[in-house]
Amino acid sequence: MFFIIALLCLLPIISSPVALILGFTLASFGFVPTKLNIAAATKKLLAYSIIGLGFGIHLDQAIAASTQGFGLIVGSIFFTLTFGWFLTKALRLEQKTGHLIASGTAICGGSAIAAVAPAINARDDQTSLALATVFVLNSIALFIFPAIGHLLEMSQHAFGTWAAIAIHDTSSVVGAAGAYGDEALRTATTIKLARALWIVPIAFLSALLFKGDNKKIGIPYFILFYCLAIVFAHFVPSLENIYSHIFVASKRLLVVCLFLIGSGITIQKLRASGLKPLLLGVLLWVAIGVGSLSYILLNVA
């Protein structure tokens, strides 16, 4: 059943939120193969999907989106990390757990947590709590962001910018933006990956602050290949028909990724996340979500 539903996620009949719910449902009823390394499979498929999306993004649009969103990206990252530090103190939460949640909120969810955790020598339970918190909020984002966007009648570009800044994981960003429209997807993917580039400097900074090991920082090389895909498509336009098929296939593969992410979420993990980490995650998310939305509605067409 697990593999059949995974294949069905490749079809247009299943949307991103539905795929996530299907994965969560199977995990809750114990229908997920225990020998399957879902986390590793998701990481690889997500990387391939992002690279494939690069073939559907025009170079001039990518440069424009990254340039226009630079100030918002930098401002949101450092605001989130600073606010997260104060909230962690106020909630009397473990400093490393709080920093991991703030890093995931500021940059790109699970990927940022995975990169920062070894750099600050975080324990497994601290990393798990941060990941569980981010996964819960990512799941909610898939449903409420497109609804809010339509309610506020946001343009494709404005919604894509907001999704890229305010949603944690890349998978959920492209899932929500893809549900809103292709232009929103292109904008969100470009800005989101520009935001994800900050994983490396933030991980190094975290290692210095917590006196961790900066030799254990993971570098997201798929971002480089994503950029190369955009450049290749720009300089070899004769294959445009093939690029469009790759772009569509990558969008469907992202839905499969969300199904796999849902398959890794269980009731036990949600309970283990506890109240304080979840409260920290929600407060940070609301702050960056409302703040960035206000800025975008006033400044982005």
Side-chain angles (χ1 to χ4, degrees), residues 2 23 25-36 38 259 262-264:
F2 176 84
T25 302
L26 290 183
S28 299
F29 286 98
F31 289 121
V32 178
T34 56
K35 294 182 180 180
L36 182 65
I38 293 178
F259 168 73
S263 301

Side-chain angles (χ1 to χ4, degrees), residues 81-82 84-86 88-89 93-103 115-123 126 201-214 217 280:
L81 291 174
T82 303
W85 186 84
F86 283 110
T88 299
K89 289 283 189 181
L93 186 64
E94 285 185 308
Q95 197 67 42
K96 289 186 178 181
T97 302
H99 184 70
L100 288 175
I101 293 173
S103 298
V116 173
I120 65 174
N121 296 321
R123 300 192 310 269
Q126 294 171 327
I202 293 301
F204 273 114
L205 180 61
S206 299
L208 293 175
L209 291 174
F210 287 86
K211 297 180 180 180
D213 188 355
N214 57 20
I217 297 171
L280 172 62

Side-chain angles (χ1 to χ4, degrees), residues 38-183:
I38 293 178
T42 304
K43 186 176 181 180
K44 288 183 179 180
L45 287 178
L46 180 60
Y48 296 146
S49 300
I50 296 299
I51 294 170
L53 289 178
F55 288 101
I57 297 176
H58 297 293
L59 181 60
D60 54 345
Q61 293 177 344
I63 294 174
S66 299
T67 303
Q68 293 171 4
F70 181 79
L72 186 57
I73 291 170
V74 176
S76 64
I77 287 174
F78 285 97
F79 166 78
T80 304
L81 291 174
T82 303
F83 190 42
W85 186 84
F86 283 110
L87 284 178
T88 299
K89 289 283 189 181
L91 293 171
R92 296 181 180 179
L93 186 64
E94 285 185 308
Q95 197 67 42
K96 289 186 178 181
T97 302
H99 184 70
L100 288 175
I101 293 173
S103 298
T105 306
I107 310 173
C108 61
S111 298
I113 293 171
V116 173
I120 65 174
N121 296 321
R123 300 192 310 269
D124 287 344
D125 63 303
Q126 294 171 327
T127 305
S128 297
L129 280 173
L131 288 171
T133 300
V134 166
F135 283 154
V136 171
L137 299 180
N138 271 321
S139 304
I140 296 173
L142 276 171
F143 293 92
I144 67 171
F145 268 65
I148 293 174
H150 287 300
L151 181 65
L152 298 177
E153 298 182 346
M154 297 178 72
S155 67
Q156 293 275 320
H157 179 68
F159 181 82
T161 302
W162 184 43
I165 295 297
I167 301 179
H168 311 74
D169 274 327
T170 303
S171 57
S172 294
V173 170
V174 296
Y180 204 78
D182 281 351
E183 183 184 344

